[in-house]
Amino acid sequence: MQKLSNKQLVLMSFMLFSMFFGAGNLIFPAFLGRASGTETWLSMAGFIISAVGLPILGVMAIAKIGSLNSLGNRVSPMFALIFPIIIYISIGPLMAIPRTATVSFEMAVKPYISNSSQTMTIALIIYSVIFFSVALWLSLSPSKLIDLFGKLLTPTLLILLCIIFIKSLITPLSGATAPTADYSEATLVKGFLDGYLTMDLLASLVFGIVIANTVRRQGITDKRSLSYSMMVAGIGAGILLTLIYCLLGYLGASSGIKFGQTDNGASVLLQVMGQLFGNFGTVFLGLIFFIACLCVAIGLIISCSEYFSMNIPRLSYKQWAIIITVISAIIANLGLNAILSFSVPVLGLIYPVAVVLVILAMIDEMIKSKKSIYVWSITLTALYSLVSTINTSLLDAQLDVYLQYIPLHSVGVGWILPAIIGIVIGAIIPQTKTAS
């Protein structure tokens, strides 16, 4: 079996970590630590299961099956065509890529300019042009991705975060408070649901093509060796994510007595950085957000461009990269609130389907690739997600009177029962055709 060297595997892990680790990955664990207080480690355990475990399973599923299209074919050819396109558009130019610019703008630029709407609009236009110009320039050489991320951006980001942690030990923060009402009961489950909100599972399905192509560029052509290298890189990235999440959770929790509860993780980090580094803390935090968001933007532009250039080859990789970047820059100028307002229902619709698809891929041998299991579980999950999304987005929760009888609906994971029912029905139906 062909193998990458240990150094190459470490660099691959660094690269994948930096592609995952964006603004939301900074904000969520810090807020979780502040809100759960003395119960931080219990809530963090749940958070890590969903925010680290599910995305790494996604990488392993792609490594195991071969591609997102191959995985989709286990449901149907039509699903294999439509679902990946929905994911790539959603996690790419529609939501995630524009958000990297708007979030980094909020943290790195907004604190230093006038609050007038006109000034803010002009500043966002200028910033998004600069941000996406840099991201596009770096995205046009995907063969250099492992050097860019593995040797430069990820080590820089990790060093900056380590400096914060060391300073927090030298200058202790105030200490943790009792958990808020939301985290005082079922703390582990609440942490799990918070990790679900990072949406990194979708990113893992998108990044699979980039990781596979990067491994191939290192001279690995054997399918088994390719899968092994991707899985090792996924596990390495998962370890790094776990360590950083624990650090951010600790910072949020240990500053609770002095600052009390806040509405979001960005406020938590601003408070912590201000206490540790004074006025320089805001600049320091802005730099961290910029690097983290830039890494994610580059990874997503490359992922989407490689996917569409493979499936719609009439346009080259470079042309797709330019198109995706320009669309992302335009949408970014709608502002963060606008992006979040339409991203929530879209993600609520597709994320449960992605979770079920990955879980089925991981137990593929156990279920013997039985097509009916894939079809029924994905279909029932998608139907529930569609009804639930319409209920919350268009009907002002009027259907809750009926949906409340579905277990776990109230906490946002009511799709679990339909998925299980689909697996059972699919298992009972006689096998007629094995998925390719």
Side-chain angles (χ1 to χ4, degrees):
M1 185 174 74
Q2 299 171 312
K3 286 187 178 181
L4 295 177
S5 67
N6 290 335
K7 179 181 178 181
Q8 287 175 311
L9 288 172
V10 169
L11 292 176
M12 288 287 298
S13 298
F14 277 15
M15 182 186 80
L16 184 55
F17 164 81
S18 63
M19 291 166 69
F20 275 127
F21 195 76
N25 306 80
L26 281 162
I27 291 172
F28 285 127
F31 177 77
L32 178 67
R34 178 67 64 83
S36 54
T38 54
E39 300 294 326
T40 292
W41 299 115
L42 185 58
S43 62
M44 188 57 63
F47 183 86
I48 289 170
I49 291 171
S50 56
V52 178
L54 286 178
I56 300 312
L57 283 180
V59 173
M60 295 175 72
I62 297 300
K64 180 180 179 181
I65 303 300
S67 69
L68 181 55
N69 291 75
S70 298
L71 183 54
N73 269 322
R74 279 164 160 71
V75 182
S76 75
M78 183 61 69
F79 180 84
L81 173 66
I82 296 175
F83 189 64
I85 291 177
I86 292 174
I87 288 183
Y88 275 96
I89 291 176
S90 299
I91 203 76
L94 181 63
M95 295 182 298
I97 299 178
R99 194 173 65 181
T100 60
T102 54
V103 171
S104 57
F105 171 81
E106 293 277 335
M107 299 302 298
V109 177
K110 188 176 179 179
Y112 306 102
I113 60 176
S114 169
N115 285 327
S116 72
S117 59
Q118 184 177 5
T119 302
M120 203 71 68
T121 299
I122 296 173
L124 179 57
I125 293 173
I126 295 172
Y127 178 83
S128 61
V129 170
I130 296 173
F131 180 89
F132 283 116
S133 296
V134 173
L136 176 61
W137 175 57
L138 295 174
S139 300
L140 293 179
S141 300
S143 60
K144 299 179 181 179
L145 193 61
I146 191 168
D147 291 326
L148 175 64
F149 282 176
K151 297 179 180 180
L152 179 61
L153 294 179
T154 302
T156 301
L157 182 60
L158 292 175
I159 289 171
L160 293 175
L161 292 170
C162 285
I163 290 173
I164 297 173
F165 178 63
I166 293 172
K167 185 64 167 66
S168 71
L169 296 178
I170 297 173
T171 310
L173 299 168
S174 57
T177 61
T180 60
D182 289 342
Y183 292 85
S184 59
E185 297 180 1
T187 309
L188 181 70
V189 175
K190 186 67 173 82
F192 178 87
L193 294 174
D194 283 349
Y196 174 90
L197 295 174
T198 64
M199 303 298 174
D200 276 345
L201 176 60
L202 297 181
S204 72
L205 300 177
V206 169
F207 291 150
I209 186 174
V210 177
I211 301 301
N213 289 340
T214 304
V215 172
R216 291 189 185 100
R217 294 187 187 105
Q218 306 303 308
I220 303 298
T221 56
D222 176 65
K223 184 177 180 181
R224 182 182 174 192
S225 301
L226 177 66
S227 297
Y228 172 80
S229 300
M230 289 179 65
M231 289 181 181
V232 172
I235 293 171
I239 293 172
L240 287 173
L241 286 169
T242 299
L243 292 174
I244 299 304
Y245 287 155
C246 290
L247 160 63
L248 294 169
Y250 162 77
L251 292 174
S254 59
S255 58
I257 290 179
K258 180 172 183 178
F259 296 108
Q261 297 302 324
T262 60
D263 294 333
N264 58 73
S267 298
V268 173
L269 291 175
L270 284 170
Q271 292 168 350
V272 170
M273 295 298 288
Q275 180 177 348
L276 293 177
F277 299 98
N279 293 332
F280 177 68
T282 305
V283 179
F284 198 177
L285 187 61
L287 179 61
I288 291 175
F289 267 84
F290 177 80
I291 294 174
C293 290
L294 182 64
C295 288
V296 174
I298 294 169
L300 288 171
I301 291 171
I302 292 174
S303 300
C304 294
S305 302
E306 289 190 342
Y307 176 81
F308 286 113
S309 63
M310 286 174 56
N311 290 275
I312 310 177
R314 294 180 66 179
L315 297 178
S316 67
Y317 168 85
K318 181 178 180 180
Q319 290 172 320
W320 275 115
I322 293 172
I323 291 171
I324 289 168
T325 304
V326 170
I327 293 174
S328 299
I330 293 172
I331 293 179
N333 281 277
L334 297 176
L336 182 59
N337 290 336
I339 294 172
L340 292 177
S341 66
F342 64 75
S343 67
V344 171
V346 174
L347 291 172
L349 178 62
I350 64 178
Y351 200 77
V353 176
V355 174
V356 175
L357 192 62
V358 166
I359 291 174
L360 292 176
M362 298 309 298
I363 61 172
D364 191 63
E365 290 87 356
M366 185 184 304
I367 63 177
K368 299 179 180 179
S369 302
K370 193 173 182 183
K371 192 177 186 67
S372 58
I373 291 179
Y374 279 90
V375 171
W376 277 96
S377 57
I378 293 298
T379 299
L380 293 184
T381 301
L383 285 174
Y384 169 84
S385 299
L386 178 62
V387 172
S388 179
T389 300
I390 292 174
N391 179 48
T392 55
S393 303
L394 302 177
L395 301 181
D396 196 25
Q398 294 179 34
L399 297 181
D400 275 354
V401 64
Y402 308 108
L403 295 176
Q404 65 177 331
Y405 296 106
I406 299 177
L408 301 179
H409 167 75
S410 61
V411 294
V413 287
W415 52 266
I416 291 177
L417 180 61
I420 293 174
I421 292 174
I423 291 174
V424 172
I425 294 174
I428 294 173
I429 294 176
Q431 175 80 306
T432 57
K433 183 179 179 181
T434 302
S436 57

